[in-house]
Amino acid sequence: MNFKTLKEQAYEANMEIPTQHLAIYTFGNVSAIDRQAGVMAIKPSGVPYAQLKVEDMVLVDLDNEVVEGRFRPSSDTKTHTLLYRHFASIGGICHTHSTYAVAWAQALLPIPNLGTTHADHLIPAVPITEVMSDEMIQGDYEHETGLQILQAFEKQNLSPQEVEMVLVACHGPFTWGKDAAKAVYNAGVLEELAKMAYLTRQLNPSIGEIKQSLKDKHFLRKHGTGAYYGQEGYGG
Amino acid sequence: MNFKTLKEQAYEANMEIPTQHLAIYTFGNVSAIDRQAGVMAIKPSGVPYAQLKVEDMVLVDLDNEVVEGRFRPSSDTKTHTLLYRHFASIGGICHTHSTYAVAWAQALLPIPNLGTTHADHLIPAVPITEVMSDEMIQGDYEHETGLQILQAFEKQNLSPQEVEMVLVACHGPFTWGKDAAKAVYNAGVLEELAKMAYLTRQLNPSIGEIKQSLKDKHFLRKHGTGAYYGQEGYGG
Amino acid sequence: MNFKTLKEQAYEANMEIPTQHLAIYTFGNVSAIDRQAGVMAIKPSGVPYAQLKVEDMVLVDLDNEVVEGRFRPSSDTKTHTLLYRHFASIGGICHTHSTYAVAWAQALLPIPNLGTTHADHLIPAVPITEVMSDEMIQGDYEHETGLQILQAFEKQNLSPQEVEMVLVACHGPFTWGKDAAKAVYNAGVLEELAKMAYLTRQLNPSIGEIKQSLKDKHFLRKHGTGAYYGQEGYGG
Amino acid sequence: MNFKTLKEQAYEANMEIPTQHLAIYTFGNVSAIDRQAGVMAIKPSGVPYAQLKVEDMVLVDLDNEVVEGRFRPSSDTKTHTLLYRHFASIGGICHTHSTYAVAWAQALLPIPNLGTTHADHLIPAVPITEVMSDEMIQGDYEHETGLQILQAFEKQNLSPQEVEMVLVACHGPFTWGKDAAKAVYNAGVLEELAKMAYLTRQLNPSIGEIKQSLKDKHFLRKHGTGAYYGQEGYGG
């Protein structure tokens, strides 16, 4: 079994975090999963991006057991594995502390859909979890963080294929996608949406969401069978 | 017929979008037109700037037919061609999702003329279109986007030679100029005006537009027969 | 008579404008004066920084006559010469359109002295001129701009040696100093003070200026005979 | 006695100030201490970072006497030595004028703990000192600045090992840590916390601090005997 490609994908995606200015120092982490093997490659905990190497990626199975690696995996490992177990279609997960997304998470507010940049990527507001109870926090915290995300999607009847991002209340964003590259791409999109929505509400506090028809139009330009944005077989 | 120069002009102008931080990833697009041939070169849809090459530019005629190119053209193609058909003097068009300009577009507010940086480039507020009806959105959407721009200029009696920028409500900016380089230059100017006006209104929410005499003075320093800014035959 | 050094000083100082992000494209200009010759070197009008060369600097005397240069001088030339004629101690002048300083100028507000970063450089608020009358604007505009600056200093009894910066209402900042390098340094300081004061007032709209004793302490640490900041004969 | 390593540590940490955009020009300074020798290496006063060299670091003892160095030490030297004398566990101190941290200091507000990015680094709000009296300012000012910091920690019963940062009212941040590298790392963290808290309060002015259980959870993930973030013997 050769996980070299998986580790490379995880490494490349992790390095996008500082490149796109989505977190400082050691903050944030990305994982990539090999669904057949049931193994993910994830950033080691607390290693600065400037020192990170492909071989530092830690291999962990979906029971949170380290399969290979000289480093301890990200402290958020259990959140990643829970999401992989429940969101069967996803191939990569990204967690950042990007500034504007964190601000919305700390303000305990979902990010409203105020324009077509948002609608190009998702139709609803970026959802936000409930604030965790003391019991959850003092219990299996990172596992509970994942459960909060699942609960937010269930309560609002959201699909993880149509909504690839969430804010964990008081904390910050998690994003995902078909692979690790798409997961971190979504983290960059989310930060931009968060900044645009921040500025819009400062300019006009009473502005509401855009109309349903416009949301649908932009989302379906880029997603699904009628999509006509981008190139076939070209990502995007 | 040789469109090499046209494609190069379009390519160079498109690459200014990431260089000037006017959009992230694949967002935004610039086109350049050869008026004699009735053909424009435009960015292919959904291709990241880092991978873009001169030969990727797609040639499209003013009936929206692809003349040459292995890629699908920008999904905003019909907005470009409509503007070229109605604004006879322009040679390039740029569309970005620059952050502050999008914020004003999402806030459904024109950008007021609050100072000489604005007046150096245009006299009126940066106009904003009406919000589109459901019928327009569900119809020939990108064509309707162009019609909304034309209508905004007609209603406010604006000249596309004197006002080279507009905000599409709920969406973002379109800018243009005598060539593609000037179109993307105007996108950079617009983003700066949008940020300055944002900060000004945060500092002093009741501030109004500057006086007509100051608008005229600065605009006419740079434009028209009495202009004394810049160098003759030197752009700017 | 050899103005090579003067042109180099002006060029180096002009290139600090894009390096320190104090203006985009062709905006802004710096001049350096040779007091003995009564000649200043100033940026040519409308030339982008990326294309600017030492030999492009235009030599102009204090009667606004071009002494040497194949380009037209900055359109703000008459403001520079007026300030040189009245502020006998200064050796360089800088004009930018830096974003936060412009926002205060557009908001028609002086920048209050809210902390020691400000007091390290000047004791009073950064002054702002009156809004010009229609007659002034339609008259000898750039000369009148200079007169407005002189009037603001006279009315508030300010010394151009102790206060090396001003906001022109509806327009933006002018700064100066013993040489061109110091003038553009002051433009960078002013932009930082403008941003800090903006954020402070957003956090706490009712905050007032710091006490006189703290203003005096910080200013006199760096200026005058009792100064103990920096190194002797080392700029500052 | 060889202070080469100490000077190198101080130099490297000082150079992080411009690299992490924590101050412009000559603003800010870092020191590193050799506890056995009772000597610290500190940035010389008023020297721009671009010109700074390892051998420019000034060696000063804890009685503020220069031990070695051709330059005058930072004007904030007495604040550093006072903190070293009273905070026995620290090995480095950093002072910056980072923009958002200064804004909170100028607004006379502590930075509330609004999320897990904050709690990862400290449990309480970032404390702020009292405004100094005229007597303190006109007296031994930099020594009094240190006393204000000590008093703030005493009054709020804070430990300099658990809280490695403070805002000096009307001025800006001081941070520290086990060595100079950690001190300037904390300055970068503080600036990010200051920006996140600013944005959060703009979005939701009534938001309060996060619950105690969440503060404890995140802080103890990274600090103390039960910590499971990062790698053993790996910093961070």
PDB file of all heavy atoms in Angstrom, chain B residues 116-117 192 200 204 211 213 218 221 228-232 234, chain C residues 26 45 51 72 97 99 106-107 132 134 141-142 170-171 198:
ATOM      1  N   THR B 116     -11.480  64.032  -4.799  1.00  0.00           N
ATOM      2  CA  THR B 116     -10.831  64.289  -6.082  1.00  0.00           C
ATOM      3  C   THR B 116     -10.294  63.017  -6.743  1.00  0.00           C
ATOM      4  O   THR B 116     -10.124  62.997  -7.959  1.00  0.00           O
ATOM      5  CB  THR B 116      -9.685  65.307  -5.930  1.00  0.00           C
ATOM      6  OG1 THR B 116      -8.674  64.735  -5.104  1.00  0.00           O
ATOM      7  CG2 THR B 116     -10.179  66.613  -5.344  1.00  0.00           C
ATOM      8  N   THR B 117     -10.024  61.973  -5.978  1.00  0.00           N
ATOM      9  CA  THR B 117      -9.592  60.720  -6.608  1.00  0.00           C
ATOM     10  C   THR B 117     -10.711  60.201  -7.511  1.00  0.00           C
ATOM     11  O   THR B 117     -10.460  59.722  -8.621  1.00  0.00           O
ATOM     12  CB  THR B 117      -9.246  59.641  -5.542  1.00  0.00           C
ATOM     13  OG1 THR B 117      -8.564  60.241  -4.440  1.00  0.00           O
ATOM     14  CG2 THR B 117      -8.386  58.551  -6.142  1.00  0.00           C
ATOM     15  N   GLU B 192     -10.369  51.090  -5.650  1.00  0.00           N
ATOM     16  CA  GLU B 192      -9.799  52.076  -4.727  1.00  0.00           C
ATOM     17  C   GLU B 192     -10.851  53.131  -4.342  1.00  0.00           C
ATOM     18  O   GLU B 192     -10.971  53.495  -3.167  1.00  0.00           O
ATOM     19  CB  GLU B 192      -8.587  52.740  -5.390  1.00  0.00           C
ATOM     20  CG  GLU B 192      -7.813  53.684  -4.493  1.00  0.00           C
ATOM     21  CD  GLU B 192      -7.058  53.000  -3.364  1.00  0.00           C
ATOM     22  OE1 GLU B 192      -6.974  51.755  -3.333  1.00  0.00           O
ATOM     23  OE2 GLU B 192      -6.574  53.734  -2.472  1.00  0.00           O
ATOM     24  N   THR B 200     -14.748  56.602   4.235  1.00  0.00           N
ATOM     25  CA  THR B 200     -15.234  57.965   4.466  1.00  0.00           C
ATOM     26  C   THR B 200     -16.601  57.945   5.134  1.00  0.00           C
ATOM     27  O   THR B 200     -16.850  58.652   6.111  1.00  0.00           O
ATOM     28  CB  THR B 200     -15.318  58.722   3.127  1.00  0.00           C
ATOM     29  OG1 THR B 200     -14.036  58.688   2.502  1.00  0.00           O
ATOM     30  CG2 THR B 200     -15.745  60.164   3.337  1.00  0.00           C
ATOM     31  N   ASN B 204     -17.746  59.395   8.685  1.00  0.00           N
ATOM     32  CA  ASN B 204     -18.706  60.511   8.697  1.00  0.00           C
ATOM     33  C   ASN B 204     -19.910  60.148   7.834  1.00  0.00           C
ATOM     34  O   ASN B 204     -19.954  60.464   6.652  1.00  0.00           O
ATOM     35  CB  ASN B 204     -18.017  61.776   8.169  1.00  0.00           C
ATOM     36  CG  ASN B 204     -18.883  62.999   8.348  1.00  0.00           C
ATOM     37  OD1 ASN B 204     -20.075  62.893   8.650  1.00  0.00           O
ATOM     38  ND2 ASN B 204     -18.293  64.170   8.180  1.00  0.00           N
ATOM     39  N   LYS B 211     -18.501  69.493  -4.286  1.00  0.00           N
ATOM     40  CA  LYS B 211     -19.182  70.484  -5.134  1.00  0.00           C
ATOM     41  C   LYS B 211     -18.940  70.222  -6.622  1.00  0.00           C
ATOM     42  O   LYS B 211     -17.897  69.683  -7.014  1.00  0.00           O
ATOM     43  CB  LYS B 211     -18.735  71.913  -4.866  1.00  0.00           C
ATOM     44  CG  LYS B 211     -17.714  72.173  -3.819  1.00  0.00           C
ATOM     45  CD  LYS B 211     -17.305  73.633  -3.849  1.00  0.00           C
ATOM     46  CE  LYS B 211     -17.772  74.303  -2.575  1.00  0.00           C
ATOM     47  NZ  LYS B 211     -17.339  75.700  -2.493  1.00  0.00           N
ATOM     48  N   SER B 213     -18.133  72.269  -8.941  1.00  0.00           N
ATOM     49  CA  SER B 213     -16.946  72.938  -9.509  1.00  0.00           C
ATOM     50  C   SER B 213     -15.694  72.096  -9.305  1.00  0.00           C
ATOM     51  O   SER B 213     -14.826  72.032 -10.176  1.00  0.00           O
ATOM     52  CB  SER B 213     -16.764  74.322  -8.858  1.00  0.00           C
ATOM     53  OG  SER B 213     -16.597  74.189  -7.448  1.00  0.00           O
ATOM     54  N   HIS B 218     -11.354  68.616 -11.572  1.00  0.00           N
ATOM     55  CA  HIS B 218     -10.476  67.447 -11.605  1.00  0.00           C
ATOM     56  C   HIS B 218     -10.708  66.586 -12.834  1.00  0.00           C
ATOM     57  O   HIS B 218      -9.759  66.090 -13.434  1.00  0.00           O
ATOM     58  CB  HIS B 218     -10.584  66.635 -10.302  1.00  0.00           C
ATOM     59  CG  HIS B 218      -9.599  67.094  -9.287  1.00  0.00           C
ATOM     60  ND1 HIS B 218      -8.385  66.487  -9.105  1.00  0.00           N
ATOM     61  CD2 HIS B 218      -9.618  68.158  -8.438  1.00  0.00           C
ATOM     62  CE1 HIS B 218      -7.702  67.128  -8.178  1.00  0.00           C
ATOM     63  NE2 HIS B 218      -8.422  68.141  -7.735  1.00  0.00           N
ATOM     64  N   ARG B 221      -9.092  68.366 -15.755  1.00  0.00           N
ATOM     65  CA  ARG B 221      -7.620  68.334 -15.724  1.00  0.00           C
ATOM     66  C   ARG B 221      -7.087  67.143 -16.513  1.00  0.00           C
ATOM     67  O   ARG B 221      -6.004  67.166 -17.066  1.00  0.00           O
ATOM     68  CB  ARG B 221      -7.095  68.159 -14.274  1.00  0.00           C
ATOM     69  CG  ARG B 221      -7.149  69.345 -13.401  1.00  0.00           C
ATOM     70  CD  ARG B 221      -6.025  69.424 -12.366  1.00  0.00           C
ATOM     71  NE  ARG B 221      -5.802  68.236 -11.543  1.00  0.00           N
ATOM     72  CZ  ARG B 221      -4.902  68.193 -10.556  1.00  0.00           C
ATOM     73  NH1 ARG B 221      -4.164  69.254 -10.257  1.00  0.00           N
ATOM     74  NH2 ARG B 221      -4.725  67.095  -9.842  1.00  0.00           N
ATOM     75  N   TYR B 228      -4.540  68.970 -18.783  1.00  0.00           N
ATOM     76  CA  TYR B 228      -3.106  69.246 -18.614  1.00  0.00           C
ATOM     77  C   TYR B 228      -2.444  68.234 -17.685  1.00  0.00           C
ATOM     78  O   TYR B 228      -1.353  68.434 -17.211  1.00  0.00           O
ATOM     79  CB  TYR B 228      -2.866  70.684 -18.149  1.00  0.00           C
ATOM     80  CG  TYR B 228      -3.568  71.092 -16.860  1.00  0.00           C
ATOM     81  CD1 TYR B 228      -2.914  71.008 -15.636  1.00  0.00           C
ATOM     82  CD2 TYR B 228      -4.877  71.580 -16.875  1.00  0.00           C
ATOM     83  CE1 TYR B 228      -3.536  71.407 -14.464  1.00  0.00           C
ATOM     84  CE2 TYR B 228      -5.506  71.974 -15.702  1.00  0.00           C
ATOM     85  CZ  TYR B 228      -4.830  71.890 -14.500  1.00  0.00           C
ATOM     86  OH  TYR B 228      -5.438  72.279 -13.342  1.00  0.00           O
ATOM     87  N   TYR B 229      -3.120  67.106 -17.423  1.00  0.00           N
ATOM     88  CA  TYR B 229      -2.520  66.018 -16.643  1.00  0.00           C
ATOM     89  C   TYR B 229      -1.929  65.005 -17.607  1.00  0.00           C
ATOM     90  O   TYR B 229      -2.482  64.750 -18.672  1.00  0.00           O
ATOM     91  CB  TYR B 229      -3.579  65.348 -15.771  1.00  0.00           C
ATOM     92  CG  TYR B 229      -3.066  64.179 -14.954  1.00  0.00           C
ATOM     93  CD1 TYR B 229      -2.586  64.360 -13.649  1.00  0.00           C
ATOM     94  CD2 TYR B 229      -3.048  62.896 -15.490  1.00  0.00           C
ATOM     95  CE1 TYR B 229      -2.110  63.297 -12.908  1.00  0.00           C
ATOM     96  CE2 TYR B 229      -2.565  61.826 -14.749  1.00  0.00           C
ATOM     97  CZ  TYR B 229      -2.097  62.025 -13.456  1.00  0.00           C
ATOM     98  OH  TYR B 229      -1.617  60.960 -12.727  1.00  0.00           O
ATOM     99  N   GLY B 230      -0.801  64.411 -17.215  1.00  0.00           N
ATOM    100  CA  GLY B 230      -0.213  63.362 -18.042  1.00  0.00           C
ATOM    101  C   GLY B 230       0.600  63.916 -19.185  1.00  0.00           C
ATOM    102  O   GLY B 230       0.874  65.111 -19.264  1.00  0.00           O
ATOM    103  N   GLN B 231       1.009  63.024 -20.100  1.00  0.00           N
ATOM    104  CA  GLN B 231       1.855  63.379 -21.235  1.00  0.00           C
ATOM    105  C   GLN B 231       1.072  63.112 -22.514  1.00  0.00           C
ATOM    106  O   GLN B 231       0.361  62.110 -22.606  1.00  0.00           O
ATOM    107  CB  GLN B 231       3.137  62.540 -21.224  1.00  0.00           C
ATOM    108  CG  GLN B 231       3.865  62.505 -19.881  1.00  0.00           C
ATOM    109  CD  GLN B 231       4.348  63.871 -19.403  1.00  0.00           C
ATOM    110  OE1 GLN B 231       4.605  64.760 -20.215  1.00  0.00           O
ATOM    111  NE2 GLN B 231       4.455  64.041 -18.085  1.00  0.00           N
ATOM    112  N   GLU B 232       1.222  63.966 -23.499  1.00  0.00           N
ATOM    113  CA  GLU B 232       0.516  63.706 -24.748  1.00  0.00           C
ATOM    114  C   GLU B 232       0.931  62.373 -25.356  1.00  0.00           C
ATOM    115  O   GLU B 232       2.110  62.024 -25.358  1.00  0.00           O
ATOM    116  CB  GLU B 232       0.767  64.835 -25.750  1.00  0.00           C
ATOM    117  CG  GLU B 232      -0.379  65.839 -25.741  1.00  0.00           C
ATOM    118  CD  GLU B 232       0.109  67.265 -25.894  1.00  0.00           C
ATOM    119  OE1 GLU B 232       0.229  67.712 -27.031  1.00  0.00           O
ATOM    120  OE2 GLU B 232       0.377  67.918 -24.850  1.00  0.00           O
ATOM    121  N   TYR B 234       0.449  59.414 -24.258  1.00  0.00           N
ATOM    122  CA  TYR B 234       1.106  58.564 -23.260  1.00  0.00           C
ATOM    123  C   TYR B 234       0.104  57.781 -22.418  1.00  0.00           C
ATOM    124  O   TYR B 234       0.410  57.342 -21.336  1.00  0.00           O
ATOM    125  CB  TYR B 234       1.964  59.439 -22.346  1.00  0.00           C
ATOM    126  CG  TYR B 234       3.030  58.676 -21.637  1.00  0.00           C
ATOM    127  CD1 TYR B 234       4.273  58.513 -22.220  1.00  0.00           C
ATOM    128  CD2 TYR B 234       2.797  58.085 -20.400  1.00  0.00           C
ATOM    129  CE1 TYR B 234       5.266  57.805 -21.582  1.00  0.00           C
ATOM    130  CE2 TYR B 234       3.779  57.372 -19.759  1.00  0.00           C
ATOM    131  CZ  TYR B 234       5.011  57.244 -20.352  1.00  0.00           C
ATOM    132  OH  TYR B 234       5.989  56.535 -19.715  1.00  0.00           O
TER     133      TYR B 234
ATOM    134  N   THR C  26      -0.441  55.854 -11.260  1.00  0.00           N
ATOM    135  CA  THR C  26       0.385  57.058 -11.401  1.00  0.00           C
ATOM    136  C   THR C  26       0.123  58.070 -10.288  1.00  0.00           C
ATOM    137  O   THR C  26       0.726  59.139 -10.275  1.00  0.00           O
ATOM    138  CB  THR C  26       0.052  57.776 -12.729  1.00  0.00           C
ATOM    139  OG1 THR C  26      -1.308  58.247 -12.630  1.00  0.00           O
ATOM    140  CG2 THR C  26       0.151  56.848 -13.917  1.00  0.00           C
ATOM    141  N   SER C  45       4.180  64.230 -14.843  1.00  0.00           N
ATOM    142  CA  SER C  45       2.748  63.977 -14.684  1.00  0.00           C
ATOM    143  C   SER C  45       2.333  62.661 -15.349  1.00  0.00           C
ATOM    144  O   SER C  45       2.714  62.388 -16.491  1.00  0.00           O
ATOM    145  CB  SER C  45       1.972  65.136 -15.316  1.00  0.00           C
ATOM    146  OG  SER C  45       0.591  64.963 -15.142  1.00  0.00           O
ATOM    147  N   GLN C  51       7.398  52.444 -14.770  1.00  0.00           N
ATOM    148  CA  GLN C  51       8.154  52.909 -15.943  1.00  0.00           C
ATOM    149  C   GLN C  51       9.049  54.099 -15.638  1.00  0.00           C
ATOM    150  O   GLN C  51       9.802  54.554 -16.508  1.00  0.00           O
ATOM    151  CB  GLN C  51       7.179  53.292 -17.060  1.00  0.00           C
ATOM    152  CG  GLN C  51       6.322  52.138 -17.549  1.00  0.00           C
ATOM    153  CD  GLN C  51       5.156  52.610 -18.395  1.00  0.00           C
ATOM    154  OE1 GLN C  51       5.213  53.645 -19.040  1.00  0.00           O
ATOM    155  NE2 GLN C  51       4.081  51.829 -18.387  1.00  0.00           N
ATOM    156  N   ARG C  72       6.256  66.841 -19.131  1.00  0.00           N
ATOM    157  CA  ARG C  72       5.495  67.855 -18.407  1.00  0.00           C
ATOM    158  C   ARG C  72       5.596  67.502 -16.900  1.00  0.00           C
ATOM    159  O   ARG C  72       5.469  66.340 -16.531  1.00  0.00           O
ATOM    160  CB  ARG C  72       4.053  67.721 -18.880  1.00  0.00           C
ATOM    161  CG  ARG C  72       3.119  68.841 -18.529  1.00  0.00           C
ATOM    162  CD  ARG C  72       1.706  68.478 -18.958  1.00  0.00           C
ATOM    163  NE  ARG C  72       1.442  68.697 -20.372  1.00  0.00           N
ATOM    164  CZ  ARG C  72       0.326  68.314 -20.994  1.00  0.00           C
ATOM    165  NH1 ARG C  72      -0.614  67.646 -20.341  1.00  0.00           N
ATOM    166  NH2 ARG C  72       0.145  68.566 -22.272  1.00  0.00           N
ATOM    167  N   HIS C  97      -2.226  59.680  -2.544  1.00  0.00           N
ATOM    168  CA  HIS C  97      -3.647  59.401  -2.353  1.00  0.00           C
ATOM    169  C   HIS C  97      -3.791  58.156  -1.487  1.00  0.00           C
ATOM    170  O   HIS C  97      -4.564  57.257  -1.805  1.00  0.00           O
ATOM    171  CB  HIS C  97      -4.360  59.243  -3.694  1.00  0.00           C
ATOM    172  CG  HIS C  97      -4.629  60.525  -4.403  1.00  0.00           C
ATOM    173  ND1 HIS C  97      -5.856  60.855  -4.937  1.00  0.00           N
ATOM    174  CD2 HIS C  97      -3.837  61.586  -4.646  1.00  0.00           C
ATOM    175  CE1 HIS C  97      -5.787  62.053  -5.503  1.00  0.00           C
ATOM    176  NE2 HIS C  97      -4.584  62.509  -5.349  1.00  0.00           N
ATOM    177  N   THR C  99      -4.967  55.540   1.163  1.00  0.00           N
ATOM    178  CA  THR C  99      -6.396  55.271   1.340  1.00  0.00           C
ATOM    179  C   THR C  99      -7.008  55.854   2.616  1.00  0.00           C
ATOM    180  O   THR C  99      -8.051  56.515   2.557  1.00  0.00           O
ATOM    181  CB  THR C  99      -6.635  53.752   1.299  1.00  0.00           C
ATOM    182  OG1 THR C  99      -5.856  53.197   0.233  1.00  0.00           O
ATOM    183  CG2 THR C  99      -8.079  53.417   1.077  1.00  0.00           C
ATOM    184  N   GLN C 106     -11.662  63.257   2.961  1.00  0.00           N
ATOM    185  CA  GLN C 106     -12.999  63.255   2.358  1.00  0.00           C
ATOM    186  C   GLN C 106     -14.084  63.412   3.423  1.00  0.00           C
ATOM    187  O   GLN C 106     -15.155  63.960   3.153  1.00  0.00           O
ATOM    188  CB  GLN C 106     -13.215  61.965   1.561  1.00  0.00           C
ATOM    189  CG  GLN C 106     -12.318  61.872   0.326  1.00  0.00           C
ATOM    190  CD  GLN C 106     -12.658  60.710  -0.608  1.00  0.00           C
ATOM    191  OE1 GLN C 106     -12.313  60.755  -1.782  1.00  0.00           O
ATOM    192  NE2 GLN C 106     -13.303  59.656  -0.100  1.00  0.00           N
ATOM    193  N   ALA C 107     -13.818  62.914   4.626  1.00  0.00           N
ATOM    194  CA  ALA C 107     -14.786  63.054   5.717  1.00  0.00           C
ATOM    195  C   ALA C 107     -14.743  64.455   6.330  1.00  0.00           C
ATOM    196  O   ALA C 107     -15.538  64.779   7.214  1.00  0.00           O
ATOM    197  CB  ALA C 107     -14.522  61.998   6.790  1.00  0.00           C
ATOM    198  N   MET C 132     -12.471  74.564  -0.500  1.00  0.00           N
ATOM    199  CA  MET C 132     -12.235  75.730  -1.362  1.00  0.00           C
ATOM    200  C   MET C 132     -13.545  76.288  -1.926  1.00  0.00           C
ATOM    201  O   MET C 132     -14.491  75.539  -2.171  1.00  0.00           O
ATOM    202  CB  MET C 132     -11.343  75.324  -2.533  1.00  0.00           C
ATOM    203  CG  MET C 132      -9.873  75.416  -2.194  1.00  0.00           C
ATOM    204  SD  MET C 132      -8.860  75.270  -3.681  1.00  0.00           S
ATOM    205  CE  MET C 132      -8.171  73.655  -3.352  1.00  0.00           C
ATOM    206  N   ASP C 134     -15.817  78.110  -4.972  1.00  0.00           N
ATOM    207  CA  ASP C 134     -15.886  77.918  -6.428  1.00  0.00           C
ATOM    208  C   ASP C 134     -14.863  78.783  -7.158  1.00  0.00           C
ATOM    209  O   ASP C 134     -14.233  78.344  -8.121  1.00  0.00           O
ATOM    210  CB  ASP C 134     -17.294  78.267  -6.942  1.00  0.00           C
ATOM    211  CG  ASP C 134     -18.326  77.236  -6.539  1.00  0.00           C
ATOM    212  OD1 ASP C 134     -17.930  76.136  -6.083  1.00  0.00           O
ATOM    213  OD2 ASP C 134     -19.527  77.521  -6.655  1.00  0.00           O
ATOM    214  N   TYR C 141      -5.997  76.826  -9.626  1.00  0.00           N
ATOM    215  CA  TYR C 141      -6.389  75.797  -8.653  1.00  0.00           C
ATOM    216  C   TYR C 141      -5.241  75.254  -7.804  1.00  0.00           C
ATOM    217  O   TYR C 141      -5.338  75.179  -6.578  1.00  0.00           O
ATOM    218  CB  TYR C 141      -7.095  74.664  -9.396  1.00  0.00           C
ATOM    219  CG  TYR C 141      -7.432  73.477  -8.533  1.00  0.00           C
ATOM    220  CD1 TYR C 141      -8.384  73.570  -7.526  1.00  0.00           C
ATOM    221  CD2 TYR C 141      -6.799  72.243  -8.723  1.00  0.00           C
ATOM    222  CE1 TYR C 141      -8.707  72.472  -6.740  1.00  0.00           C
ATOM    223  CE2 TYR C 141      -7.108  71.151  -7.946  1.00  0.00           C
ATOM    224  CZ  TYR C 141      -8.056  71.271  -6.951  1.00  0.00           C
ATOM    225  OH  TYR C 141      -8.360  70.186  -6.172  1.00  0.00           O
ATOM    226  N   GLU C 142      -4.149  74.852  -8.439  1.00  0.00           N
ATOM    227  CA  GLU C 142      -3.060  74.234  -7.680  1.00  0.00           C
ATOM    228  C   GLU C 142      -2.343  75.253  -6.800  1.00  0.00           C
ATOM    229  O   GLU C 142      -1.865  74.916  -5.721  1.00  0.00           O
ATOM    230  CB  GLU C 142      -2.076  73.531  -8.632  1.00  0.00           C
ATOM    231  CG  GLU C 142      -2.674  72.304  -9.316  1.00  0.00           C
ATOM    232  CD  GLU C 142      -3.543  72.649 -10.526  1.00  0.00           C
ATOM    233  OE1 GLU C 142      -3.555  73.839 -10.950  1.00  0.00           O
ATOM    234  OE2 GLU C 142      -4.219  71.740 -11.053  1.00  0.00           O
ATOM    235  N   CYS C 170     -11.388  67.202   0.903  1.00  0.00           N
ATOM    236  CA  CYS C 170     -11.952  66.606  -0.324  1.00  0.00           C
ATOM    237  C   CYS C 170     -10.893  66.018  -1.246  1.00  0.00           C
ATOM    238  O   CYS C 170     -11.218  65.590  -2.351  1.00  0.00           O
ATOM    239  CB  CYS C 170     -12.772  67.612  -1.137  1.00  0.00           C
ATOM    240  SG  CYS C 170     -13.995  68.526  -0.224  1.00  0.00           S
ATOM    241  N   HIS C 171      -9.651  66.005  -0.843  1.00  0.00           N
ATOM    242  CA  HIS C 171      -8.583  65.606  -1.738  1.00  0.00           C
ATOM    243  C   HIS C 171      -7.679  64.551  -1.090  1.00  0.00           C
ATOM    244  O   HIS C 171      -7.892  63.362  -1.292  1.00  0.00           O
ATOM    245  CB  HIS C 171      -7.815  66.874  -2.152  1.00  0.00           C
ATOM    246  CG  HIS C 171      -6.822  66.676  -3.242  1.00  0.00           C
ATOM    247  ND1 HIS C 171      -6.471  67.667  -4.123  1.00  0.00           N
ATOM    248  CD2 HIS C 171      -6.077  65.608  -3.585  1.00  0.00           C
ATOM    249  CE1 HIS C 171      -5.567  67.212  -4.984  1.00  0.00           C
ATOM    250  NE2 HIS C 171      -5.321  65.962  -4.662  1.00  0.00           N
ATOM    251  N   TYR C 198      -8.721  55.700  12.650  1.00  0.00           N
ATOM    252  CA  TYR C 198      -9.978  55.166  12.111  1.00  0.00           C
ATOM    253  C   TYR C 198     -10.469  53.994  12.967  1.00  0.00           C
ATOM    254  O   TYR C 198     -11.622  53.963  13.408  1.00  0.00           O
ATOM    255  CB  TYR C 198      -9.760  54.698  10.668  1.00  0.00           C
ATOM    256  CG  TYR C 198     -10.931  53.949  10.078  1.00  0.00           C
ATOM    257  CD1 TYR C 198     -11.972  54.620   9.451  1.00  0.00           C
ATOM    258  CD2 TYR C 198     -11.001  52.558  10.148  1.00  0.00           C
ATOM    259  CE1 TYR C 198     -13.056  53.937   8.915  1.00  0.00           C
ATOM    260  CE2 TYR C 198     -12.081  51.866   9.618  1.00  0.00           C
ATOM    261  CZ  TYR C 198     -13.099  52.560   9.005  1.00  0.00           C
ATOM    262  OH  TYR C 198     -14.166  51.873   8.488  1.00  0.00           O
TER     263      TYR C 198
END
